Amino acid sequence: MSIVKMQKLDLIGFEEDKENIIKALMKAGTVHIVDSREKLEEDEWNELVHSENAEELIAEIDEKLARIKSAIEYLSKYSTAKKALFAPKRKISEGEYNTVRDSESELWKVIETIEQYNHELTGLKSEENALRNLISSLEPWESLVRPLEITETEKVLFAIGTVPASVNIAELEQELEGQAPESFIEVVNQDKNQLYISVAYHKDISQPVTDFLKGIGFSGISFRGLTGTASENILSLNNKIKKIEEKREEIHNKSKECADYIAKLETFYDCLVIERDRKKAMGRLLNTQRTFILEGWVPESEAGKIEKLLTKHWDCVVDIRNPEKGEDFPILLKNNPLVRPFEMITEMYSLPSPNEIDPNLFLAPFYFIFFGMMVSDAGYGILLSLITGIVLLKFKLEGLAEKLIKLLFLGGISTLFWGAMFGGWFGNVVDVITQGKFTIPPIWFNPLDNPMKLLIWSFVFGVVHIFTAMGLKGYLMIREKKYLDALFDIGFWYVFLLGLCFLLLGGNIAVIGKYMAIAGAILLILTQGRSKKNILSKLFSGVLSLYNVASFLSDVLSYSRLLALGLSTGVVATVINTMGSLFGFNPIGIILFIIIFVIGSVFNMAINVLGAYVHTSRLQYVEFFGKFYEGGGKPYNPLKIKTKYIDFTNINKEA
């Protein structure tokens, strides 16, 4: 339960063996390859070695991967096989994998066909949108009997357009007749915003009519390129849309015939992912004309296997050694199954540096306790554990998803425990349903009845949490042989802070606490300014150091969120149950109660689980890590076969 010990791997091999060696290391999946190209900045290295420029090739592979992914997503719409949300990777043999590699040219033809189908569908969609937009603009003029291309005769001009719906058409006709008697206006259609009108007028009075129309907000419309009436054009356009739909259906049917290629395309995608990762690894190496240099890190337990693998099959020089003092190595954490889910909390913050400790063993119990206290409802705990437990049993999860679901599963168990301790079972639902005849009493106490007691215990847990962090800081100092620093900066603070805590308890222990606080304060004043040069500066700095007690009290107050979130769960649950019971327990009231209870409980549980996750993490990051932990470690990222869709059933770990 610590940071895994790493050993440095230095390898010199022949250029002709490089690709096979990289393939073997990828299959082994335990060597973290270091990017050695930074050494080229040094003149003595730059004159002897060079790196392989694989950037263009990697970019080319990435472009191919994007095309394959697009084809898979396109065909997935036509596949009858539906994948579950947490579906495991499809298992194939290495023989099946090689068969797909050999059919690369066939698969590219399929991809090109799919791209053509997709291009055609995009074009058809664009054309259909244009036609439908044109139909929408023609529909208001469907009752207009005049062909759209006729805009004038020998003596008459025609205009169509819109005016605001607020215009009084009767007054408009009278006014136009007075100003231009040789004209005619017709309302073709109208909606809530505007009137669609057609105007005919003699050419000799075109200017007065134009001025009149401009004055009433007339906006002219022209359908250039269209012949025939609006209704005839609408009919023609609908026929074109029908042909587009037929063409689209034809393409859909052809696409369905290609859906069987999804499995091969997924395998082909992962083939290229493996090839890209291999090229990236080769780009990190240093090369001479006939040899290459590889630097990497391997877990101590795997070092012997890697050395045997390399020296057995190739003529190469392999040197495996322990890291030198101060030499950074990639961080791999190893914890028992109960602690491992909590690693994601540390990983989201930062991995420990090589000279630190893995904090997860100490973080895990506090995170477990605090999460449950914040949700603190046994009913929600049962649901959370059941849901996450089913997911874990039914699906093969990996990586962050696995850790998150396991973390929530353990959080559900903690929630069940604290819910039973506080008497929360979906709030007070049992009391509401039985109308007060039966109540599940809390094993410890009900925070809604005694919030101050929960607040005090929240502070107690906070003090223990902070003292643990201080103890870890002291341990790190002792490990670095800074014994006096550990005594002065941790031990004396323990004496002072414990004395202050004992003062709050009263009785005989308060007397002990008083003397401890006084002794601790004196010791801190005498030691906290030890880095200063003269005696006055030392004493002044020591006195000022006591002000840090305010920071300690501020940190302890942060744990009041245990009370706040714990109470919010119970209060909201109680409100939900009360709302559901307002309609009584007649048949309709029972149905309404169930609906309100289910919807409200799901919402309440989701919000409070999210809140507990966020605020419990915050307590670890600020109040806990802030006392002893810096982080900054680089993750252990070994060269291995990383796939998205497939998994190998019988991959040979040997070259």
Side-chain angles (χ1 to χ4, degrees):
M1 293 180 285
S2 60
I3 299 173
V4 174
K5 291 183 179 180
M6 290 283 170
Q7 290 192 311
K8 182 69 180 296
L9 167 68
D10 292 301
L11 180 148
I12 301 177
F14 289 109
E15 179 69 22
E16 58 265 25
D17 296 330
K18 179 168 65 175
E19 188 164 351
N20 288 329
I21 288 175
I22 291 296
K23 286 181 179 179
L25 293 179
M26 177 175 270
K27 287 183 179 181
T30 56
V31 178
H32 175 105
I33 296 180
V34 175
D35 193 341
S36 302
R37 289 175 292 183
E38 61 183 24
K39 291 185 177 180
L40 295 175
E41 298 176 3
E42 303 174 18
D43 292 338
E44 58 269 27
W45 281 94
N46 195 24
E47 294 173 359
L48 298 173
V49 297
H50 65 275
S51 65
E52 180 180 319
N53 187 4
E55 299 302 323
E56 291 185 6
L57 182 57
I58 292 170
E60 182 181 337
I61 295 175
D62 283 333
E63 184 180 350
K64 289 180 179 179
L65 288 171
R67 292 178 63 189
I68 299 170
K69 184 179 180 182
S70 178
I72 293 171
E73 291 174 350
Y74 175 87
L75 289 180
S76 63
K77 297 179 291 186
Y78 302 98
S79 175
T80 55
K82 301 298 181 182
K83 288 186 177 180
L85 179 62
F86 297 107
K89 294 178 182 178
R90 180 168 46 86
K91 293 186 178 296
I92 66 168
S93 66
E94 202 165 358
E96 293 174 293
Y97 172 85
N98 292 329
T99 300
V100 170
R101 285 305 319 248
D102 294 338
S103 60
E104 180 175 348
S105 58
E106 176 192 353
L107 293 175
W108 278 119
K109 289 179 181 179
V110 173
I111 292 168
E112 289 170 0
T113 301
I114 292 168
E115 289 174 340
Q116 180 61 32
Y117 289 159
N118 197 20
H119 177 73
E120 291 180 11
L121 287 175
T122 301
L124 291 173
K125 182 64 176 177
S126 178
E127 184 180 352
E128 181 185 0
N129 288 338
L131 294 176
R132 292 194 181 278
N133 289 335
L134 184 53
I135 289 174
S136 297
S137 64
L138 284 169
E139 283 176 341
W141 307 100
E142 194 169 4
S143 61
L144 184 67
V145 296
R146 177 173 55 80
L148 299 174
E149 73 274 16
I150 297 178
T151 58
E152 62 178 287
T153 64
E154 184 179 352
K155 295 184 179 182
V156 178
L157 294 174
F158 300 99
I160 59 174
T162 62
V163 295
S166 58
V167 172
N168 187 311
I169 195 63
E171 294 178 359
L172 181 65
E173 289 176 341
Q174 291 178 4
E175 189 175 350
L176 180 61
E177 185 178 355
Q179 295 184 23
E182 295 175 308
S183 62
F184 174 76
I185 186 169
E186 174 190 5
V187 177
V188 179
N189 207 334
Q190 71 178 71
D191 56 34
K192 63 180 182 179
N193 296 317
Q194 53 196 3
L195 301 175
Y196 300 84
I197 64 173
S198 172
V199 183
Y201 51 94
H202 198 278
K203 289 183 177 180
D204 293 342
I205 58 170
S206 61
Q207 191 59 46
V209 172
T210 301
D211 293 340
F212 173 78
L213 292 176
K214 187 182 295 184
I216 62 172
F218 178 81
S219 178
I221 295 175
S222 175
F223 294 101
R224 292 178 182 175
L226 298 183
T227 59
T229 64
S231 60
E232 290 171 347
N233 277 278
I234 291 173
L235 180 61
S236 174
L237 293 171
N238 280 322
N239 288 334
K240 289 182 180 180
I241 291 175
K242 186 176 180 181
K243 290 180 180 179
I244 288 174
E245 291 173 347
E246 291 173 355
K247 178 65 176 176
R248 184 189 292 117
E249 186 63 27
E250 181 183 344
I251 295 174
H252 285 331
N253 291 332
K254 291 180 181 178
S255 299
K256 290 177 183 177
E257 296 174 3
C258 297
D260 293 338
Y261 279 94
I262 289 181
K264 289 184 178 180
L265 289 174
E266 290 177 343
T267 303
F268 187 38
Y269 180 92
D270 283 338
C271 287
L272 290 185
V273 168
I274 294 170
E275 181 181 347
R276 180 197 60 189
D277 292 346
R278 190 164 61 243
K279 295 297 182 185
K280 284 183 178 180
M282 292 170 68
R284 298 190 185 106
L285 310 182
L286 296 179
N287 305 273
T288 66
Q289 188 173 358
R290 295 193 57 192
T291 64
F292 71 94
I293 301 171
L294 181 151
E295 294 181 284
W297 294 94
V298 60
E300 187 178 54
S301 59
E302 299 291 329
K305 298 177 185 176
I306 292 298
E307 184 175 16
K308 181 180 178 182
L309 169 66
L310 293 171
T311 56
K312 178 181 178 181
H313 295 91
W314 297 281
D315 292 328
C316 57
V317 177
V318 178
D319 177 47
I320 296 179
R321 60 172 176 81
N322 291 323
E324 298 175 357
K325 186 176 181 180
E327 187 175 17
D328 286 345
F329 54 84
I331 302 300
L332 173 64
L333 303 178
K334 184 178 181 181
N335 289 291
N336 65 54
L338 289 177
V339 176
R340 195 173 301 127
F342 298 93
E343 290 176 356
M344 67 169 289
I345 305 301
T346 301
E347 290 168 358
M348 290 176 65
Y349 183 83
S350 181
L351 286 170
S353 63
N355 60 341
E356 289 186 308
I357 61 172
D358 177 9
N360 290 292
L361 178 63
F362 307 96
L363 174 149
F366 288 108
Y367 198 101
F368 178 81
I369 292 170
F370 294 163
F371 186 99
M373 287 184 69
M374 287 185 182
V375 184
S376 66
D377 188 284
Y380 296 161
I382 292 172
L383 279 181
L384 185 59
S385 294
L386 279 177
I387 294 170
T388 53
I390 291 171
V391 171
L392 289 171
L393 289 173
K394 191 172 181 180
F395 304 106
K396 183 182 177 182
L397 302 178
E398 297 177 349
L400 184 63
E402 179 187 16
K403 288 181 179 179
L404 176 61
I405 297 301
K406 286 183 176 179
L407 177 69
L408 294 177
F409 174 77
L410 293 173
I413 294 175
S414 177
T415 301
L416 171 60
F417 169 79
W418 286 106
M421 295 295 287
F422 295 154
W425 297 83
F426 295 107
N428 62 341
V429 69
V430 175
D431 182 61
V432 170
I433 291 175
T434 62
Q435 299 182 20
K437 296 178 181 177
F438 181 75
T439 302
I440 301 178
I443 297 175
W444 190 11
F445 70 96
N446 187 343
L448 294 177
D449 297 333
N450 195 350
M452 285 304 300
K453 186 173 182 179
L454 179 57
L455 180 63
I456 292 170
W457 276 102
S458 297
F459 291 156
V460 170
F461 285 126
V463 170
V464 174
H465 196 211
I466 294 172
F467 275 11
T468 302
M470 292 171 60
L472 292 173
K473 178 66 174 179
Y475 167 76
L476 290 173
M477 290 178 174
I478 293 172
R479 195 175 70 170
E480 295 174 7
K481 299 182 180 180
K482 297 178 180 179
Y483 304 114
L484 289 179
D485 289 343
L487 176 63
F488 296 160
D489 297 339
I490 302 298
F492 291 169
W493 271 106
Y494 269 146
V495 174
F496 179 55
L497 293 175
L498 282 172
L500 294 179
C501 293
F502 290 162
L503 280 173
L504 300 175
L505 299 178
N508 293 331
I509 199 168
V511 177
I512 298 173
K514 180 178 70 172
Y515 291 112
M516 285 181 65
I518 293 171
I522 294 171
L523 291 170
L524 289 171
I525 291 171
L526 294 175
T527 59
Q528 293 304 290
R530 62 188 182 277
S531 61
K532 301 298 181 180
K533 293 183 179 181
N534 60 67
I535 187 66
L536 292 177
S537 296
K538 292 177 183 290
L539 290 174
F540 185 69
S541 297
V543 172
L544 284 180
S545 69
L546 296 180
Y547 183 72
N548 289 331
V549 73
S551 176
F552 174 79
L553 294 175
S554 175
D555 289 342
V556 172
L557 288 174
S558 294
Y559 291 84
S560 61
R561 66 190 68 234
L562 296 174
L563 166 72
L565 271 76
L567 288 180
S568 68
T569 305
V571 170
V572 174
T574 301
V575 170
I576 291 169
N577 297 333
T578 302
M579 289 174 59
S581 64
L582 292 176
F583 304 95
F585 286 95
N586 50 63
I588 295 177
I590 292 173
I591 294 173
L592 291 174
F593 177 83
I594 293 173
I595 294 172
I596 294 172
F597 174 76
V598 171
I599 295 175
S601 296
V602 169
F603 173 80
N604 192 26
M605 184 177 77
I607 290 296
N608 282 282
V609 166
L610 177 61
Y613 173 80
V614 170
H615 287 281
T616 305
S617 298
R618 189 261 179 206
L619 288 175
Q620 311 304 320
Y621 295 156
V622 179
E623 276 68 39
F624 191 61
F625 283 173
K627 300 294 182 295
F628 73 99
Y629 187 73
E630 293 183 4
K634 294 180 291 186
Y636 169 69
N637 185 22
L639 175 66
K640 62 180 180 179
I641 295 175
K642 299 175 184 177
T643 55
K644 182 177 181 180
Y645 300 105
I646 64 171
D647 198 3
F648 294 101
T649 56
N650 59 348
I651 185 168
N652 182 11
K653 293 289 183 182
E654 299 251 337

